[in-house]
């Protein structure tokens, strides 16, 4: 009881303003996989469904009051798993994933709305976790656009170089592309090196 | 415009827009102009690109205009913005970020092959 009260008071004093953190990145980079892992690691349940089909997340999902403790710092975050940004959406891509034409068109329409939502969230955040697929070219325009927006508003950004469990992953390529931002190599799927990511999150968003 | 129509069977028009011309336009005016150009099948090269928030707005507007089998969006490539380290600009509180060359075209016609910090390789198809 005494200890509980003590830790409660400690938390009360240590607790800083809540930060709204958006998870961005190209389709299929692993945003939802990472959001699920963060929420599971720090609050015990999941965020949303993961899929190999692009644009599975077509509505931004928000989880409030995720408390992360690392490096002796406690940060309280609202985690927003966004659909991410894209500059093109072709329903034929969904048909290639095995959907009928009508469903593919409906999906494509929803995906465009999801991107609009992700753009709108961008204006309302305190920081961004930018998830990149480390097996792919890091210089995609949506990465450049997200980084540009955060830099212009002087807001913190942490890059998660995801999928390092895959042989061809090259987090070094990402680091070389955006040397001005911290890049943490992780596997959101396997949970590799996420401790390092949490330390960086506590440091940058605290 | 009409000239472009006449040649549309064989040619693709490229417009190179100077920093000065873009600087005179309001953000929405720029975005409308760019989308109109791209939707009519042109490739646009901007000497100095768009501000990051204008780029985000362009993505948003692009999404509202996607129509199945007609317009599937844009391809846009620019170099990462640079920090302007000029001491004077910092003292004067001027914008310290510098946007860079940007190329925009219809997604089904402009394809980026390779991109790195200082080189963009793209192909244009009809
Ligand atoms: N190998 C590997 N696959 C991953 C990793 N993270 C996500 N994926 C896979 O990538 C695909 C897209 O994941 P998802 O989280 O839905 O991506 P989102 O579109 O960015 O939200 C799914 O098939 C995931 O299982 C990872 O760290 N390693
Ligand atoms: Mg997702």
């Amino acid at each position: 009881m005494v200890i509980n009260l003590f830790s409660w008071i400690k938390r009360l004093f240590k607790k800083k303003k809540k930060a709204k953190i958006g998870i961005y990145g190209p389709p299929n980079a692993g945003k939802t996989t990472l959001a699920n892992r963060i929420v599971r690691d720090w609050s015990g349940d999941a965020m949303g469904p993961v899929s190999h089909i692009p644009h599975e997340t077509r509505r931004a999902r928000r989880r409030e009051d995720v408390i992360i403790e690392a490096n002796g710092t406690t940060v309280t975050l609202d985690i927003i798993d966004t659909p991410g940004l894209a500059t093109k959406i072709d329903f034929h891509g969904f048909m290639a994933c095995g959907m009928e034409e009508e469903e593919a068109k409906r999906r494509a329409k929803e995906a465009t709305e999801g991107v609009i939502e992700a753009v709108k969230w961008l204006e309302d955040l305190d920081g961004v976790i930018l998830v990149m697929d480390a097996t792919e070219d890091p210089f995609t325009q949506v990465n450049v656009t997200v980084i540009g927006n955060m830099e212009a508003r002087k807001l913190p950004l942490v890059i998660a170089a995801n999928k390092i469990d895959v042989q061809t992953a090259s987090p070094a390529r990402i680091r070389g592309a955006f040397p001005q931002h911290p890049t943490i190599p992780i596997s959101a799927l396997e949970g590799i090196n996420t401790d390092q990511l949490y330390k960086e999150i506590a440091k940058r968003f605290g | 415009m009409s000239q472009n129509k006449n040649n549309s069977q064989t040619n693709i028009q490229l417009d190179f827009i100077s920093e000065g011309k873009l600087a005179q336009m309001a953000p929405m005016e720029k975005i409308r102009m760019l989308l109109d150009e791209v939707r009519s099948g042109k490739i646009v090269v901007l000497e100095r690109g768009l501000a990051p928030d204008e780029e985000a707005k362009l993505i948003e507007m692009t999404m509202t205009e996607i129509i199945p089998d007609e317009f599937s969006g844009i391809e846009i490539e620019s170099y990462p913005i640079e920090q302007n380290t000029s001491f004077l600009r910092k003292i004067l509180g001027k914008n310290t970020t510098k946007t860079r060359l940007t190329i925009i075209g219809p997604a089904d016609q402009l394809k980026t092959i390779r991109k790195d910090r200082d080189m963009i390789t793209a192909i244009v198809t009809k």
Side-chain angles (χ1 to χ4, degrees), chain A residues 18-29:
Chain A
K18 206 159 70 160
K20 271 192 247 134
I21 304 300
I23 301 184
Y24 281 78
N28 267 345

Side-chain angles (χ1 to χ4, degrees), chain A residues 78-109:
Chain A
D78 281 2
I79 303 280
I80 297 106
D81 176 27
T82 77
L85 302 187
T87 62
K88 55 189 169 196
I89 293 169
D90 189 342
F91 74 94
H92 292 102
F94 293 105
M95 290 179 73
C97 292
M99 274 173 222
E100 297 292 330
E101 184 167 330
E102 279 316 301
E103 197 196 346
K105 283 182 178 166
R106 204 191 64 236
R107 275 260 182 164
K109 175 87 179 120

Side-chain angles (χ1 to χ4, degrees), chain A residues 31-32 49 56-57 81-83:
Chain A
K31 298 177 290 298
T32 302
E56 175 66 23
T57 312
D81 176 27
T82 77

Side-chain angles (χ1 to χ4, degrees), chain A:
Chain A
M1 191 57 195
V2 176
I3 291 177
N4 265 346
L5 186 67
F6 179 71
S7 69
W8 182 79
I9 290 172
K10 207 167 107 185
R11 181 172 284 173
L12 194 72
F13 281 99
K14 267 183 132 179
K15 197 167 153 183
K16 298 203 184 105
K17 197 183 119 275
K18 206 159 70 160
K20 271 192 247 134
I21 304 300
I23 301 184
Y24 281 78
N28 267 345
K31 298 177 290 298
T32 302
T33 307
L34 178 61
N36 281 341
R37 184 164 286 280
I38 295 174
V39 171
R40 207 184 306 124
D41 281 355
W42 299 99
S43 77
D45 48 5
M47 192 104 181
V50 168
S51 171
H52 65 282
I53 302 172
H55 302 285
E56 175 66 23
T57 312
R58 296 183 299 288
R59 284 278 169 271
R61 280 199 174 80
R62 177 176 182 172
R63 172 56 57 96
E64 291 184 78
D65 297 317
V66 177
I67 299 167
I68 295 180
E69 286 183 63
N71 280 346
T73 325
T74 304
V75 291
T76 306
L77 308 177
D78 281 2
I79 303 280
I80 297 106
D81 176 27
T82 77
L85 302 187
T87 62
K88 55 189 169 196
I89 293 169
D90 189 342
F91 74 94
H92 292 102
F94 293 105
M95 290 179 73
C97 292
M99 274 173 222
E100 297 292 330
E101 184 167 330
E102 279 316 301
E103 197 196 346
K105 283 182 178 166
R106 204 191 64 236
R107 275 260 182 164
K109 175 87 179 120
E110 287 173 8
T112 63
E113 289 162 4
V115 173
I116 293 170
E117 212 176 306
V119 172
K120 296 217 183 290
W121 263 110
L122 207 49
E123 297 159 14
D124 199 27
L125 296 171
D126 304 306
V128 157
I129 300 169
L130 183 55
V131 183
M132 298 188 199
D133 183 334
T135 67
E136 287 184 6
D137 178 11
F139 279 106
T140 61
Q141 188 61 28
V142 295
N143 292 339
V144 174
T145 302
V146 170
I147 290 175
N149 272 276
M150 300 314 278
E151 284 178 349
R153 292 166 51 215
K154 302 197 163 42
L155 291 173
L157 174 101
V158 172
I159 298 172
N162 194 31
K163 307 199 184 182
I164 57 161
D165 57 290
V166 182
Q167 183 99 50
T168 54
S170 173
R173 194 168 45 189
I174 296 177
R175 204 170 269 138
F178 306 107
Q180 70 276 38
H181 296 288
T183 297
I184 315 295
I186 62 157
S187 166
L189 191 68
E190 311 272 336
I192 302 168
N193 211 30
T194 45
D195 284 352
Q196 204 56 43
L197 181 68
Y198 296 142
K199 281 184 188 159
E200 201 62 39
I201 287 175
K203 187 169 152 196
R204 305 279 162 174
F205 304 144

Side-chain angles (χ1 to χ4, degrees), chain B residues 105-117:
Chain B
D108 55 357
Q109 277 175 256
L110 178 66
K111 294 259 182 302
T112 311
I113 305 284
R114 220 184 96 82
K115 182 180 179 186
D116 62 36
R117 181 155 280 278

Side-chain angles (χ1 to χ4, degrees), chain B residues 37-118:
Chain B
E37 295 241 313
V38 168
R39 290 209 54 184
S40 68
K42 294 176 202 164
I43 309 289
V44 189
V45 180
L46 307 178
E47 184 184 20
R48 243 316 173 53
L50 296 170
D53 57 332
E54 292 169 348
E55 232 172 63
K57 194 81 201 159
L58 175 64
I59 290 176
E60 186 183 341
M61 287 285 289
T62 300
M63 289 298 121
T64 66
E65 303 209 353
I66 288 177
I67 300 168
D69 285 322
E70 200 182 305
F71 179 61
S72 64
I74 61 171
E75 177 83 355
I76 168 171
E77 291 297 347
S78 66
Y79 300 117
I81 55 175
E82 277 177 350
Q83 302 298 317
N84 200 321
T85 47
S86 152
F87 184 61
L88 198 65
R89 288 184 78 89
K90 273 188 180 162
I91 291 198
L92 295 173
K94 289 252 171 71
N95 202 347
T96 53
T97 55
K98 194 172 113 206
T99 55
R100 299 165 76 196
L101 182 106
T102 299
I103 176 164
I104 307 170
D108 55 357
Q109 277 175 256
L110 178 66
K111 294 259 182 302
T112 311
I113 305 284
R114 220 184 96 82
K115 182 180 179 186
D116 62 36
R117 181 155 280 278
D118 297 293

